[in-house]
């Protein structure tokens, strides 16, 4: 075996020389006319200097902002389904509901006659016409800037109705002006003094992206309505989530889901968001200024975490909002409320609150192991006192739960106990790029950092620019490097409905039927393999190093190594990469390069051009333990290096094992045809000569 090693070495040398030349030729043709900088990047891939990244490093943060939930991932199509958005005092505003007909034919107003004790408002509709129009009069709801109704799909309608006299109601899905009828059904309502729950499936016979739900009748009389719901039958796992948006979340492979966030005066009340959806009172978010019916409640967030395979992180109100505070002396009911919320999630099906969860369809506990005590409340008068009350009570009841403080401990120690601390950063791109070293000097003792909100924003962020994503990527390489003290990180905000862009930028933009990822979303997909991987130290040597950032990871149980490099500058970079300590050879045939870049650093994606700035994957033809690549200006490059043996090595090893006296070399014709004839001839001649010297007769085969 030892006498054949020169033959294998010769084959490897010429094989990688060939692929290196081809790679250089392709890359050179794509260069822009800028000064090409040079740099050397060295990776120490040895196990001796490797460190495991926490399994929880990268996840997602969901906040009800920009109609991310109501009119977003929650698939309810009716806006203000319970007529509660106008407040408890009646008559009240019923927006976005409107009438079909005029003031002479119909009169509607809210009153407090609902059969639900926690949401008492209902809608009274009085039909005034003796000879109503053929199409009837009634009410309609346009949903959240129009309902997306698609041909052939089934939509489940549920509503509560009361009428003292028998009446026929026609429920229809129509275009925004009512001229196109997509689905329709007539439902008889028996005259009675009690409320009746009606359910109807509507199958669409056409597609309209801005549809509405309408309920009409031609009979004079009075009808009351409450809790009118319309949802597509094909929600994700039947759990009520919009499938295509959940798919984009899944593609990030999040290790945790932080929810619900925010610091509203009218805080998210978990116990009012559980139980039957009809009984939930809903709430008005006073920071982002819109109503939600809380169909997406505490239980649904826990279910979403499970569906994503992500650890739930429950961010609860600690008696403090942006404008109000509860004195620590009066905080005990709030503490009890949070303990009850944890019993709802974690308690047995026989416990008081665990039984409520079980009745909702989930007898097994949800594994809540992280809670954040408040959000952005550090420094407020009663925060420390309130925090300690929550901390001590939770530690006693659930000693395994990790608690997160709102106070930043990256540069100075906390004055209170915590397992993790929140770190939020929204800044310009240059500042965030420089913050790749933000945790280099943080204490290696004490609580770990949870970078629960980060993003580039304002002037150089646009609505999601390439520039913003590059700075964010550089920042994440720093979090990987410092993952001995940084345990978790999540971008914010995650979603924005294009009709309510209260906060820009965001990771995922959507409307009623479309969605796309901003460059910041696609950037995160290139870090989805980081959690739980092995981090390897790197060094960059260059006069241009101030514009570069990089990180390297491997997975010990797979055949892949990932190297990510950000070129934040405007010049291309000729980069020499060398790796020492790899446990196996680099397989050029299985290695790829994925690059995010564009012709203008402020380029964004849009509904008209959703793929303007997205990852572009290609075969990395010159992959090896040492290789040369060219980084485009303003680019994020991720190299997926396959560490398995190449097909050539495997074939020769098989021949040796069978003591054959011939060896076959197989070359893909798509590669061979790009070789200069002289180089191809030299390549084959030399390896054939080396083979002959060691008793091999080498045959060559090509495939198309």
């Amino acid at each position: 075996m030892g006498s054949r090693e020169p033959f294998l070495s010769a084959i490897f040398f010429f094989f990688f020389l060939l692929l290196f030349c081809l790679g250089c030729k392709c890359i050179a043709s794509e260069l822009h006319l800028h000064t090409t900088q040079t740099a050397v990047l060295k990776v120490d891939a040895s196990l001796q200097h490797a460190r495991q990244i926490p399994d929880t490093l990268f996840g997602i943060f969901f906040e009800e902002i920009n109609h991310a939930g109501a009119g977003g991932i929650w698939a309810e199509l009716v806006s203000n389904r319970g007529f509660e958005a106008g407040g408890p005092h009646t008559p009240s505003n019923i927006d976005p509901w409107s009438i079909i007909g005029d003031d002479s034919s119909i009169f509607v107003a809210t009153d407090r006659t609902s059969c639900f004790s926690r949401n008492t408002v209902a809608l009274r509709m009085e039909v005034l016409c003796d000879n109503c129009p053929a199409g009837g009069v009634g009410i309609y709801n346009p949903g959240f800037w129009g309902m997306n109704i698609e041909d052939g799909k089934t939509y489940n309608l549920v509503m509560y109705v009361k009428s003292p006299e028998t009446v026929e109601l026609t429920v229809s899905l129509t275009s925004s002006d009512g001229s196109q009828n997509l689905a329709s059904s007539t439902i008889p309502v028996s005259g009675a003094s009690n409320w009746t729950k009606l359910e109807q499936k509507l199958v669409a016979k056409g597609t309209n992206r801005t549809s509405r739900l309408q309920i009409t009748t031609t009979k004079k009389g009075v009808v009351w309505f409450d809790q009118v719901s319309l949802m597509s039958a094909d929600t994700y796992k039947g759990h009520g989530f919009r499938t295509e948006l959940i798919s984009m979340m899944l593609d990030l492979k999040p290790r945790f889901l932080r929810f619900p966030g925010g610091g509203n005066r009218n805080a998210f009340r978990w116990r009012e968001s559980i139980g039957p959806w009809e009984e939930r009172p809903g709430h008005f978010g006073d920071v982002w200024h819109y109503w939600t019916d809380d169909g997406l409640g505490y239980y649904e967030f826990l279910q979403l975490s499970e569906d994503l395979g992500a650890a739930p992180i429950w961010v609860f109100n600690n008696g403090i909002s942006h404008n109000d505070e509860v004195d620590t002396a009066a905080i005990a009911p709030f503490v009890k409320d949070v303990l009850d919320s944890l019993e709802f999630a974690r308690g047995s099906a026989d416990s008081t609150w665990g039984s409520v969860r079980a009745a909702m369809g989930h007898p097994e506990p949800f594994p809540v192991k992280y809670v954040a005590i408040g959000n952005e409340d550090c420094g407020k008068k009663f925060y420390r006192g309130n925090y300690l009350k929550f901390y001590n009570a939770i530690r006693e009841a659930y000693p395994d739960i990790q608690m997160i403080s709102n106070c930043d401990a990256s540069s100075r120690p906390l004055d209170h106990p915590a397992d993790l601390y929140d770190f939020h950063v929204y800044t310009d791109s240059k500042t965030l790029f420089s913050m790749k070293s933000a945790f280099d000097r943080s204490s290696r003792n004490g609580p770990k950092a949870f970078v629960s909100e980060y993003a580039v924003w304002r002037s150089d962020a646009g609505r999601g620019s390439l520039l913003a994503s590059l700075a964010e990527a550089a920042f994440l390489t720093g979090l990987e490097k410092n993952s001995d003290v940084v345990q978790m990180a999540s971008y914010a905000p995650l979603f924005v409905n294009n009709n309510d862009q209260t906060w820009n930028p965001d990771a995922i933009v959507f409307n009623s039927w479309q969605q796309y990822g901003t460059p910041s979303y696609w950037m995160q997909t290139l870090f989805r393999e980081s959690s739980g991987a092995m981090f390897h130290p790197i060094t960059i040597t260059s006069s241009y190093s101030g514009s570069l950032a990089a990180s390297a990871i491997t997975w010990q149980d797979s055949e892949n190594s990932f190297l990510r490099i950000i070129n934040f500058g405007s010049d291309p970079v000729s980069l020499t990469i060398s790796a020492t300590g790899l446990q196996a050879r680099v397989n050029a045939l299985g290695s790829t390069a994925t690059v995010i870049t564009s012709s203008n650093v402020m380029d964004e994606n849009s509904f008209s051009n959703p793929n303007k700035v997205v990852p572009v994957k290609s075969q990395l033809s010159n992959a090896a333990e040492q290789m040369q690549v060219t980084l485009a200006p303003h680019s994020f490059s991720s190299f997926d290096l396959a560490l398995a043996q190449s097909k050539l090595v495997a074939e020769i090893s098989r021949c040796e094992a069978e003591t054959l006296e011939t060896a076959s070399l197989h070359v893909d014709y798509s590669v061979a045809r790009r070789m200069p004839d002289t180089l191809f001839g030299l390549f084959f001649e030399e390896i054939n000569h080396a083979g002959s010297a060691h008793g091999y007769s080498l045959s060559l085969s090509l495939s198309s």
Side-chain angles (χ1 to χ4, degrees), residues 22 390 632:
L22 288 172
F390 285 102

Side-chain angles (χ1 to χ4, degrees), residues 209-227:
R209 307 300 188 184
T210 56
S211 305
R212 71 188 194 186
L213 167 69
Q214 62 182 42
I215 308 170
T216 58
T217 183
T218 57
K219 184 176 181 180
K220 185 176 182 178
V222 178
V223 184
W224 280 266
F225 298 96
D226 199 8
Q227 299 302 327

Side-chain angles (χ1 to χ4, degrees), residues 535-587:
F535 173 82
H536 298 280
I538 64 166
T539 57
I540 300 177
T541 304
S542 174
S543 60
Y544 194 66
S545 60
S547 296
L548 301 175
S551 69
I553 63 169
T554 59
W555 276 92
Q556 296 305 303
D557 58 350
S558 75
E559 299 174 344
N560 290 83
S561 174
F562 297 91
L563 176 64
R564 282 77 61 93
I565 308 169
I566 298 94
N567 180 5
F568 195 62
S570 57
D571 292 336
V573 178
S574 177
L575 182 67
T576 301
I577 303 171
S578 64
T580 59
L582 289 173
Q583 301 302 299
R585 292 187 178 95
V586 174
N587 175 11

Side-chain angles (χ1 to χ4, degrees), residues 278-289:
E278 304 96 325
E279 299 177 11
R280 302 180 189 184
H283 76 282
F284 181 78
D286 60 327
V287 172
W288 306 120
H289 307 295

